[in-house]
Amino acid sequence: MPSLTQQIVRRKPLELPGTRHPGHELGRSMSTFQLMMLGVGATVGTGIFFVLQEAVPDAGPAVIISFLVAGLAAGLSALCYAEMASAIPISGSTYSYAYHALGEFLAVLIAACVVLEYGVSASAVAVGWSGYFNELLQNTIGTHIPDALSYSPIPDGDHTTGLVNLPAIILVTLCALLLLRGAGESARVNAIMVLIKLSVLGMFVVIGFTAFSADHFAGFWAAGPAGISTAAGTIFFSFIGLDAVSTAGEEVRNPQKALPRAIIGALFIVISVYVLVAVAGVGAQPTSEFSNPEQQSAGLSVILHNITGSTIPATILAAGAVVSIFSVTLVCFYGQTRILFAMGRDGLLPERFSRVSARTLTPTFNTIVVAVVVALIAGFVPAGYLWDTISIGTLMAFSIVALGIIVLRRREPNLPRPFRVPGYPVTPVVTIAVCAYVLSGLHGVTWLIFGGWMLVTVVFYFAWARRHARLNRGPEEATVDVQEVR
């Protein structure tokens, strides 16, 4: 058994593309386009359909700058992800990159960050989906699910409370059932939902610009740098889709080329859509209206109703949101299960997490566990408690990837890299600096929650994970027989 110090700093050996990993294998069934849509599906929707109502009260009209700041951090991070994914095209995303580049202890900590970002993000988006679902019901059949079954029992400012958010739990269940059918089928369904989403948001932009007023941008800088950074921190979680692309390293065909193309393509689409919708939304109504509790559950739909005086555009948008936001929860859900799969295969979680179905080649046990946890959070915790918690996990993950680029360039200079970060070493250094700036704008309570989660992770690592890591085993135990779960 290695010493404690050796366990903390040991790194997982680099695995060449095309070689078989110890333990269970996932099936390669995705195309580059499906992978790109996976990233767009996890990103476009969260920041626009929900967070505009959370971010505008912090930054005012300068929320557009907040989107650009968050987009800058995400763009720089995307370049780092593209290089890392092309060099290490395996499942596990940031966790796997950290294990290869920075050592086991930091890998477990960053895995906890990613688990936090995916699990809480899936829950938060499911809560927001519930609001749009009720808006759709109201506009189509003139009724909605009772408040007692549509809202969390936990108070959140002036927002309505209830007993349980039943629509959110139903959405999580539907995502779980789809993922259990296989990654390829899930990716095809997601691509269709993303195209619907982009069409609906395009409609919002066109209608929003018909009511555009420059007066709504008065006092553009009134919130100051603090307001802009706070809003950027809230918005940043919506760029989680870029990380989600890299979790599919073992399920896409030709990963060394597909991963960089999908990450950069998704980033370009995401930033373009976000800025257009933000400008159209702020230009269409006074920023004070974004604090109106009536807009918290289905903000963009309410804006369209206010502009047109008709329920038809609002109903179309609500219907598009109900369909397309499904994809956000689906992809966040997907990413969570693949992180747990990679950790289980490395022995840092119980072996049960690394098993895959013989029929679908997907981690069935992980899907069920994640479904239960996410459903409980979505059913009983308001979204307002969740947004910033997601951002802190995402920002930590992005920073670690940038640091990993620097370390691997020095330690493994001859490692094949089909994509290389332009402007090295400035790009990864600036990435870390921008992420640190956005982190500085997060609320104190978010840091307390994050600190508590990290403490739990440290205790788990020293009490269990380090003793069961696969790297503890000798060379003769480096591989195991595949025990497929039927």
Side-chain angles (χ1 to χ4, degrees), residues 129-188:
W129 179 88
S130 176
Y132 274 97
F133 182 70
N134 264 329
E135 176 78 7
L136 178 62
L137 291 179
Q138 186 65 48
N139 289 344
T140 53
I141 62 176
T143 188
H144 58 83
I145 297 174
D147 289 349
L149 299 179
S150 300
Y151 292 94
S152 159
I154 300 176
D156 181 20
D158 295 330
H159 295 184
T160 307
T161 58
L163 298 177
V164 62
N165 194 326
L166 185 60
I169 294 176
I170 292 173
L171 175 64
V172 172
T173 303
L174 292 175
C175 288
L177 292 174
L178 183 57
L179 287 173
L180 288 172
R181 293 180 62 87
E185 184 168 341
S186 299
R188 285 190 292 273

Side-chain angles (χ1 to χ4, degrees), residues 81-406:
Y81 264 98
E83 175 173 325
M84 195 70 87
S86 72
I88 312 174
I90 63 174
S91 185
S93 183
T94 313
Y95 154 74
S96 293
Y97 305 154
Y99 207 167
H100 288 297
L102 303 174
E104 185 173 282
F105 180 63
L106 278 178
V108 172
L109 290 183
I110 203 62
C113 292
V114 178
V115 165
L116 180 69
E117 86 179 58
Y118 280 121
V120 178
S121 180
S123 302
V125 177
V127 172
W129 179 88
S130 176
Y132 274 97
F133 182 70
N134 264 329
E135 176 78 7
L136 178 62
L137 291 179
Q138 186 65 48
N139 289 344
T140 53
I141 62 176
T143 188
H144 58 83
I145 297 174
D147 289 349
L149 299 179
S150 300
Y151 292 94
S152 159
I154 300 176
D156 181 20
D158 295 330
H159 295 184
T160 307
T161 58
L163 298 177
V164 62
N165 194 326
L166 185 60
I169 294 176
I170 292 173
L171 175 64
V172 172
T173 303
L174 292 175
C175 288
L177 292 174
L178 183 57
L179 287 173
L180 288 172
R181 293 180 62 87
E185 184 168 341
S186 299
R188 285 190 292 273
V189 173
N190 173 74
I192 294 171
M193 290 191 289
V194 168
L195 295 177
I196 294 172
K197 176 188 309 187
L198 295 179
S199 299
V200 167
L201 289 174
M203 179 195 72
F204 174 85
V205 170
V206 171
I207 295 177
F209 274 113
T210 65
F212 185 89
S213 172
D215 292 342
H216 296 158
F217 292 86
F220 190 85
W221 301 105
I228 292 172
S229 64
T230 299
T234 300
I235 291 166
F236 195 83
F237 95 93
S238 58
F239 287 93
I240 189 176
L242 304 177
D243 183 276
V245 172
S246 62
T247 64
E250 291 180 41
E251 294 174 275
V252 64
R253 298 184 289 273
N254 195 9
Q256 288 189 295
K257 291 183 178 180
L259 284 164
R261 291 172 181 172
I263 290 170
I264 294 172
L267 173 72
F268 177 78
I269 294 172
V270 166
I271 293 180
S272 299
V273 172
Y274 275 14
V275 172
L276 281 172
V277 174
V279 172
V282 173
Q285 69 174 20
T287 55
S288 59
E289 288 297 315
F290 287 91
S291 301
N292 188 337
E294 293 182 1
Q295 288 204 17
Q296 295 300 314
S297 61
L300 299 191
S301 182
V302 174
I303 291 174
L304 286 185
H305 183 269
N306 292 340
I307 292 173
T308 65
S310 169
T311 60
I312 295 176
T315 301
I316 293 174
L317 188 136
V322 166
V323 173
S324 61
I325 294 172
F326 187 109
S327 70
V328 182
T329 308
L330 179 69
V331 179
C332 293
F333 203 139
Y334 167 88
Q336 176 82 291
T337 62
R338 271 49 181 181
I339 296 292
L340 298 177
F341 168 80
M343 294 184 71
R345 189 167 61 184
D346 291 335
L348 297 174
L349 284 176
E351 190 268 342
R352 191 75 175 83
F353 284 92
S354 70
R355 295 182 183 176
V356 300
S357 165
R359 182 177 60 86
T360 63
L361 296 180
T362 57
T364 303
F365 176 75
N366 298 7
T367 304
I368 295 172
V369 170
V370 172
V372 172
V373 174
V374 171
L376 288 174
I377 297 174
F380 296 98
V381 180
Y385 286 84
L386 303 175
W387 301 126
D388 286 357
T389 306
I390 303 165
S391 291
I392 199 168
T394 308
L395 287 161
M396 289 294 183
F398 282 16
S399 300
I400 287 295
V401 170
L403 179 60
I405 291 291
I406 298 171

